[in-house]
């Protein structure tokens, strides 16, 4: 079969190629060369959409040997690249062919296969690659080293270390590979390369990736004495990476750092790095370590800047703390600096008195915002509640809340009526962190004759702390004409053990306000099965606008008693409720619903069909395995994906062939699920 002319529209072209391929598969599935010719049209298309569709078809329908011939051909680079991608997507299905190629003498094809194996993330690939390190061809050695590094193979480390003394390009490949693997056995050899004219920076980057304490003392010594840039930048980043990995500075290294601070060399280096306005030298911007999450390309998010902060905290360089606090006011670094300061809590607390009384208001606010305090500094933080600036008082509220400082409750309560919203909200949040029995000072604020926003705030505090104080006042608030007050009161009542609370919540199902009704449902679910399940079940026969919420809520109980009532309701329920019923039934995890799910798998409603497939994949038994095999051939990708997941759950050997087919499905999500399932079935992904 051939396609003489294709539509101009890319989407229509892709569909035409797919339809022609699938028709040929049905009529003549063994005609691989004809399939190849159809798919190659897509490979050579000018648009990525058509090429992507053709790659999926190749992975699904072409045998690895056919794809291998396209990879081995140098007539068309576009076709070769597409074929390589298709082979990668075949995953374990292609493994026997890849083994065969590696045993051959086609060096160029072997190099392509090495690259494909590197992308499989399959443990068996390592055993195939290791012998290639002994090959005489340096190009093949290089790509093999890179592949083993990509696979993070610790098993390969002993064979990779000798390449650190080989030719330059092999050295570079070995350093990069060892960096990715992260094995401590590489530390000493890499330290030996720090003085290398070309490899020094790469070796330091690798040492930072490995982050072993074995390298820390030597790197700190070099950092204190080295003045050349950007070598010193790389040293700083490597030291910080190790410190961030949970390692402390030893006494000897601390002495060297202290001496470097005294003579000015270290401060003169670090201070410009941490200045937001710029620096006296350009940093090494290409240093990347896994411990950091840099989303910013400017100085506020650079690796070098963060490394300087880490060293400041770890080595307790007090004179640089104000600079660190200024940096923390930058939105891009705020959370990261908070976390870092808390990692070095003792050092931060030691300088807290100076920081909290600093003449610069920005420093005081930032010091409170960091929140790295304990009870020994609570009194000092309380003094900040009297600061002249409301934003600093608000930060003090937040810090005291984090400390659960009971001694500050009275003064925090007075902030509930503050005219400054930021300070008021901070006080509410802080009180919500306090012990529930300590909130007596809030009683006077539960007065509807005063500001209702304050009443709601206090109810929020009682809910957050699960306090059972002021019960009569809260029950009385259920009579308020403001539905938002009733909702807030409901959430507090749910924490009371009295039967009256359950009765009040149940009665709220009849409330005039739909939001209050919804809140009542949610609270009934939270309260537990014995008391509330009958109340919710009784509402199923009523055609309420929120019945779908009730159905959804029943799923949280995971109780078999809901099965028959829900199946009975299903036939007369609208489609959106039917989907909720299916989801709720599946949550029971009862095999009793399997016959019902089998009926729904034939539904013309795609969402219902998918939900039924989801349930069958999780509940079906070994004696009904044929149904999963049948679902694996469904036209809908979602159903095939669920079938693959279900096969992985049962992990039966007879699913192997079906999963190998799904492992090269045209939909990548199906292929990934099938590959994961194959790994659960013994013997299906081992080297043959």
């Amino acid at each position: 079969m051939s396609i003489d002319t294709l539509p101009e529209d890319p989407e229509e072209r892709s569909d035409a190629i797919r339809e022609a391929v699938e028709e040929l598969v049905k009529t003549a599935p063994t005609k691989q060369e004809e399939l190849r010719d159809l798919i190659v049209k897509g490979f050579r298309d000018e648009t990525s959409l058509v090429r992507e569709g053709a790659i999926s078809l190749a992975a699904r329908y072409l045998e690895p040997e056919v794809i291998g011939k396209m990879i081995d051909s140098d007539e068309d680079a576009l076709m070769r690249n597409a074929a390589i991608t298709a082979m990668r997507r075949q995953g374990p299905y292609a493994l026997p062919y890849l083994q065969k190629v590696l045993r051959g003498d086609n060096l160029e094809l072997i190099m392509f296969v090495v690259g494909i194996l590197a992308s499989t993330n399959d443990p068996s690939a390592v055993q195939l690659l290791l012998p290639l390190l002994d090959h005489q061809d340096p190009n093949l050695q290089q790509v093999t080293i890179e592949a083993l590094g990509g696979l993070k193979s610790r098993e390969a480390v002993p064979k990779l270390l000798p390449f650190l003394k080989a030719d330059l390009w092999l050295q570079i490949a070995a350093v990069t590979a060892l960096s990715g693997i992260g094995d401590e056995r590489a530390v000493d050899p890499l330290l030996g390369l720090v003085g290398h004219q070309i490899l020094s920076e790469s070796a330091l980057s690798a040492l930072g990736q490995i982050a072993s304490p074995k390298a820390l003392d030597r790197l700190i010594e070099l950092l204190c004495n080295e003045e050349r840039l950007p070598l010193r930048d790389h040293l700083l980043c490597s030291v910080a990476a190790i410190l961030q990995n949970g390692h402390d500075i030893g006494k000897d290294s601390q002495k060297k750092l202290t001496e470097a601070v005294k003579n000015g060399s270290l401060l003169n280096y670090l201070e410009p790095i941490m200045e937001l306005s710029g620096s006296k030298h350009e940093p090494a911007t290409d240093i990347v370590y896994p411990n950091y999450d840099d989303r910013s390309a400017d100085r506020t998010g650079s690796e070098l800047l963060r490394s300087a902060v880490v060293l400041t905290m770890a080595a307790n360089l007090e004179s640089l703390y104000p600079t660190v606090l200024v940096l923390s006011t930058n939105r891009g670094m705020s959370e990261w600096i908070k976390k870092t300061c808390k990692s070095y809590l003792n050092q931060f607390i030691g300088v807290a008195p100076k920081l909290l009384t600093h003449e610069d208001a920005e420093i005081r606010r930032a010091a409170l915002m960091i929140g790295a305090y304990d009870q020994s500094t609570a009194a000092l933080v309380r003094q900040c509640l009297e600061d002249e600036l409301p934003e600093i008082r608000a930060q003090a509220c937040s810090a005291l809340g984090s400390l659960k400082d009971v001694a500050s409750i009275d003064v925090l309560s007075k902030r509930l009526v503050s005219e400054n919203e930021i300070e008021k909200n901070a006080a509410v949040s802080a009180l919500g962190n306090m012990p529930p029995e300590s909130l007596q000072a809030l009683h006077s604020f539960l007065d509807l004759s005063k500001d209702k926003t304050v009443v709601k705030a206090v109810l929020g505090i009682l809910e957050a702390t699960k306090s059972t104080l002021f019960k009569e006042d809260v029950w009385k608030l259920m009579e308020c004409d403001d539905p938002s007050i009733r909702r807030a009161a409901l959430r507090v009542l749910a924490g009371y053990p009295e039967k009256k609370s359950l009765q009040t919540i149940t009665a709220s199902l009849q409330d005039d306000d739909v939001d209050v009704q919804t809140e009542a449902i949610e609270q009934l679910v939270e309260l537990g099965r014995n008391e509330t399940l009958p109340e919710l079940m009784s509402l199923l026969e009523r055609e309420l606008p929120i019945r779908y919420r009730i159905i959804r809520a029943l799923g949280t109980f995971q109780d078999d008693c809901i099965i028959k009532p829900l199946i009975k309701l299903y036939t007369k329920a609208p489609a959106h409720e039917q989907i909720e019923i299916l989801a709720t039934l599946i949550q029971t995890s009862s095999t009793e619903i399997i016959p019902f799910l089998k009926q729904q798998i034939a539904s013309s409603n795609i969402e219902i069909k998918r939900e039924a497939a989801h349930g069958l994949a999780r509940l079906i038994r070994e004696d009904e395995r044929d149904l999963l095999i049948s679902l694996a051939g469904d036209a809908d990708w979602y159903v095939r994906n669920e079938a693959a997941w279900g096969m992985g759950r049962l992990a039966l050997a007879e699913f192997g062939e079906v999963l190998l087919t799904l492992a090269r499905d045209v939909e990548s999500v199906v292929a990934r699920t099938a590959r994961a399932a194959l790994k659960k079935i013994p013997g299906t992904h081992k080297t043959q």
Side-chain angles (χ1 to χ4, degrees):
M1 180 178 180
S2 64
I3 302 177
D4 297 325
T5 59
L6 288 170
E8 292 185 7
D9 180 75
E11 190 169 345
E12 292 179 3
R13 285 204 304 278
S14 183
D15 289 343
I17 293 172
R18 176 178 53 77
E19 290 168 3
V21 167
E22 290 178 349
E23 182 181 343
L24 183 59
V25 168
K26 290 178 182 177
T27 57
T30 60
K31 293 188 176 181
Q32 286 284 300
E33 292 304 316
E34 290 188 31
L35 280 173
R36 172 195 179 278
D37 293 342
L38 286 172
I39 290 171
V40 165
K41 287 182 180 289
F43 281 180
R44 291 172 172 162
D45 197 274
E46 61 185 10
T47 63
S48 60
L49 184 148
V50 178
R51 292 197 300 273
E52 180 63 29
I55 289 169
S56 295
L57 292 169
R60 173 63 182 86
Y61 295 117
L62 291 182
E63 291 301 314
E65 289 79 4
V66 177
I67 298 176
K69 289 179 181 178
M70 288 190 277
I71 294 173
D72 194 29
S73 172
D74 57 4
E75 64 181 72
D76 188 334
L78 200 62
M79 181 181 72
R80 171 183 277 174
N81 290 337
I84 290 172
T85 303
M87 182 77 79
R88 284 174 175 159
R89 292 189 186 178
Q90 289 195 322
Y93 186 82
L95 198 56
Y97 169 74
L98 299 178
Q99 291 175 271
K100 181 180 177 182
V101 171
L102 293 179
R103 298 189 191 107
D105 56 6
N106 187 332
L107 187 60
E108 185 176 10
L109 185 57
I110 289 173
M111 292 178 68
F112 282 120
V113 166
V114 169
I116 292 169
L117 285 170
S119 67
T120 62
N121 200 27
D122 191 318
S124 61
V126 173
Q127 297 303 319
L128 297 174
L129 292 171
L130 283 174
L132 299 180
L133 290 174
D134 299 323
H135 200 281
Q136 294 183 346
D137 186 271
N139 293 322
L140 179 55
Q141 286 179 318
Q142 182 178 338
V143 296
T144 303
I145 292 169
E146 292 168 352
L148 289 165
L151 290 168
K152 300 186 183 301
S153 170
R154 293 184 181 275
E155 187 178 351
V157 170
K159 297 197 70 173
L160 291 175
L161 291 176
F163 286 99
L164 293 177
K165 297 180 180 179
D167 293 337
L168 180 61
W169 290 111
L170 294 177
Q171 283 182 300
I172 294 172
V175 169
T176 303
L178 291 166
S179 174
I181 294 169
D183 193 293
E184 281 194 339
R185 288 173 289 179
V187 168
D188 288 337
L190 287 170
L191 282 172
L193 293 175
V194 170
H196 193 282
Q197 185 176 3
I198 297 174
L199 295 172
S200 186
E201 292 176 5
S202 297
L204 285 171
S205 178
L207 288 165
Q209 291 272 21
I210 296 170
S212 168
K214 289 171 58 178
L216 189 56
D217 288 340
R218 177 58 179 156
L219 292 176
I220 287 177
E221 180 181 6
L222 291 170
L223 175 65
C224 291
N225 298 321
E226 182 61 63
E227 293 186 358
R228 289 174 296 171
L229 300 175
L231 180 58
R232 199 174 197 182
D233 293 344
H234 286 269
L235 282 164
L236 174 59
C237 290
S238 295
V239 167
I242 297 171
L243 293 173
Q244 283 286 82
N245 205 36
H247 304 299
D248 296 325
I249 298 174
K251 290 183 179 180
D252 290 342
S253 291
Q254 184 65 54
K255 287 181 181 178
K256 292 173 183 176
L257 287 167
T258 302
E259 181 60 33
V261 169
K262 285 181 179 179
N263 65 33
S265 66
L266 190 59
L267 289 182
N268 290 339
Y269 167 64
L270 293 174
E271 282 177 341
I273 294 174
M274 293 195 287
E275 292 174 0
L276 290 175
S277 58
S279 70
K280 298 176 183 176
H281 73 275
E282 287 299 320
T285 56
D286 58 342
I287 309 172
V288 178
Y289 294 122
N291 290 329
Y292 302 106
D293 179 16
D294 279 331
R295 295 184 176 87
S296 174
D298 61 22
R299 290 300 301 270
T300 63
S302 75
E303 198 65 43
L304 190 64
L305 173 55
R306 295 188 179 208
S307 297
V309 172
V310 169
L311 183 63
T312 296
M313 302 301 300
N316 200 23
L317 307 179
E318 288 191 19
S319 60
L320 292 178
Y321 273 71
T323 306
V324 171
L325 292 177
V326 171
L327 287 172
S328 73
T329 63
N330 179 278
R331 188 173 61 179
M333 294 196 69
S334 175
E335 290 303 316
W336 180 83
I337 289 183
K338 283 183 186 179
K339 181 179 178 181
T340 303
C341 288
K342 288 178 180 178
S343 297
Y344 300 100
L345 185 62
N346 291 334
Q347 291 94 318
F348 190 83
I349 287 176
V351 297
K354 295 179 182 178
L355 299 175
L356 291 175
T357 56
H358 200 281
E359 61 181 10
D360 188 332
E362 192 67 13
I363 300 297
R364 298 199 303 275
R365 188 181 73 84
L368 288 165
M369 184 180 67
I370 292 298
Y373 300 102
D374 60 14
Q375 283 300 326
S376 68
T377 54
L380 194 60
V381 176
R382 282 199 297 274
Q383 292 178 15
C384 296
L385 289 173
E386 306 304 323
D387 198 282
E388 60 183 357
L389 297 176
E391 57 267 29
I392 293 180
R393 297 197 299 269
Q395 285 297 161
C397 290
S398 298
L400 291 167
S402 298
L403 290 172
K404 301 184 187 299
D405 182 47
V406 175
S408 65
I409 288 178
D410 284 345
V411 67
L412 287 172
S413 299
K414 295 175 182 177
R415 264 61 181 185
L416 294 178
V417 293
S418 171
E419 293 181 359
N420 185 281
E421 284 297 315
I422 296 176
E423 185 178 2
K424 177 180 175 179
N425 292 336
V428 170
S429 178
L431 289 165
N433 283 330
M434 298 297 177
E437 68 280 358
S438 65
L439 298 171
Q440 290 290 347
L442 299 181
H443 190 209
S444 61
F445 295 98
L446 286 175
D447 187 348
L448 286 174
S449 65
K450 298 179 181 178
D451 189 346
K452 287 184 179 180
T453 61
V454 175
V455 175
K456 283 192 283 187
V458 172
L459 288 171
I461 294 168
L462 295 175
E463 178 196 358
T465 59
K466 302 186 185 303
S467 175
T468 57
L469 297 174
F470 325 131
K471 292 179 182 177
E472 295 300 326
D473 299 87
V474 176
W475 274 315
K476 187 176 180 181
L477 288 174
M478 287 302 301
E479 301 171 7
C480 178
D481 58 1
D482 185 337
S484 65
I485 295 286
R486 299 200 299 276
R487 284 187 65 196
L490 269 179
R491 291 193 288 270
V492 178
L493 286 174
Y496 294 172
E498 287 85 356
K499 188 174 182 180
K500 180 180 177 181
S501 296
L502 176 59
Q503 293 170 343
T504 303
I505 296 172
T506 303
S508 296
L509 293 170
Q510 313 299 327
D511 197 281
D512 293 336
D513 187 85
V514 67
D515 289 334
V516 176
Q517 293 175 7
T518 302
E519 188 66 53
I521 292 172
E522 292 178 2
Q523 296 308 323
L524 285 173
V525 171
E526 289 293 327
L527 284 173
R529 179 193 183 286
N530 292 334
E531 300 86 359
T532 63
L533 185 55
E535 297 290 347
L536 290 171
M537 294 286 289
S538 67
L539 297 173
L540 288 178
E541 294 301 322
R542 298 173 57 190
E543 294 186 6
L544 300 170
I546 59 171
R547 186 167 65 179
Y548 76 97
R549 290 180 179 270
I550 297 170
I551 296 168
R552 186 181 300 171
L554 288 171
T556 63
F557 291 96
Q558 300 181 338
D559 195 303
D560 288 0
C561 74
I562 69 175
I563 293 175
K564 290 182 179 178
L566 285 177
I567 290 177
K568 179 181 177 182
L569 175 62
Y570 184 86
T571 56
K572 56 184 179 182
H576 73 283
E577 289 187 358
Q578 288 181 330
I579 294 172
E580 293 290 351
I581 289 172
L582 282 172
T584 297
L585 289 172
I586 292 167
Q587 283 183 273
T588 66
S589 300
S590 172
T591 56
E592 183 183 341
I593 69 170
I594 290 177
F596 178 71
L597 293 177
K598 287 181 179 178
Q599 295 173 11
Q600 307 316 311
I601 202 71
S603 174
S604 58
N605 183 314
I606 188 64
E607 295 302 324
I608 289 176
K609 178 180 179 179
R610 288 179 170 183
E611 195 63 45
H614 176 79
L616 288 170
R618 281 146 184 78
L619 299 176
I620 208 162
R621 298 165 296 214
E622 290 187 14
D623 59 353
E624 296 177 296
R625 66 193 72 159
D626 289 345
L627 179 56
L628 281 179
I629 294 173
S630 173
L631 294 178
D634 196 272
D636 181 40
W637 69 269
Y638 188 97
V639 175
R640 297 198 302 276
N641 190 59
E642 292 294 344
W645 191 94
M647 290 180 187
R649 178 178 67 85
L650 293 178
L652 300 178
E654 63 194 83
F655 289 147
E657 290 300 320
V658 180
L659 286 170
L660 279 172
T661 299
L662 290 177
R664 53 184 187 137
D665 196 275
V666 293
E667 293 290 343
S668 59
V669 65
V670 179
R672 284 196 300 271
T673 303
R675 291 177 191 180
L678 276 169
K679 291 180 180 180
K680 298 177 182 179
I681 301 176
T684 57
H685 68 290
K686 293 180 180 178
T687 303
Q688 296 178 4

